[in-house]
Amino acid sequence: QVQLVESGGGSVQAGGSLRLSCAASGHPYSSYCMGWFRQAPGKEREGVAAIDSDGITRYADSVKGRFTFSKDNAKNILYLQMNSLKPEDTAMYYCAAAFQRICPVATDRGYGYWGQGTQVTVSS
């Protein structure tokens, strides 16, 4: 089975940057699409970004222009570069995978594999 391990979370001040990583193993990345989700205390889990098996990305409106989703196919590592961070970005961030070509951002339906999460805290 696919295993996902996130890393790179931490605490930064508003305006700072972080790069999250998601290492995928178990099956070739090309067979899956990937997504990043986040969940803050007391709030629903929301989609952040997604990348399809061809490398096409899409983003939630709240992060568009600030976050960049990319992948290293040779290493099966996915990255979420987060710039201009805001306090409202504070959340647990999860990497997820689905056995399909295109992953949605607006819903977590179809994602069958999830990492353990990595905490991102942005202070004002």
Side-chain angles (χ1 to χ4, degrees), residues 1-118:
Q1 291 188 352
V2 173
Q3 294 182 335
L4 306 173
V5 180
E6 303 100 328
S7 62
S11 182
V12 298
Q13 290 185 295
S17 298
L18 284 173
R19 188 178 73 163
L20 306 184
S21 299
C22 176
S25 62
H27 287 88
Y29 171 79
S30 60
S31 298
Y32 298 87
C33 60
M34 307 290 296
W36 283 98
F37 290 80
R38 66 187 182 186
Q39 187 169 27
K43 296 184 178 180
E44 298 291 329
R45 181 159 59 188
E46 64 175 345
V48 175
I51 187 167
D52 67 29
S53 61
D54 294 323
I56 299 174
T57 57
R58 57 192 65 83
Y59 302 90
D61 289 341
S62 60
V63 306
K64 191 173 184 179
R66 300 188 297 120
F67 291 10
T68 303
F69 197 176
S70 63
K71 63 179 179 179
D72 183 332
N73 287 327
K75 298 181 179 180
N76 284 339
I77 299 176
L78 300 100
Y79 302 100
L80 184 67
Q81 179 67 46
M82 305 185 295
N83 299 324
S84 301
L85 284 163
K86 304 175 180 179
E88 50 263 44
D89 294 320
T90 295
M92 184 72 74
Y93 283 71
Y94 299 91
C95 179
F99 189 64
Q100 58 197 45
R101 187 175 68 85
I102 300 174
C103 277
V105 175
T107 177
D108 60 7
R109 177 179 293 178
Y111 291 92
Y113 303 94
W114 295 82
Q116 81 288 347
T118 185

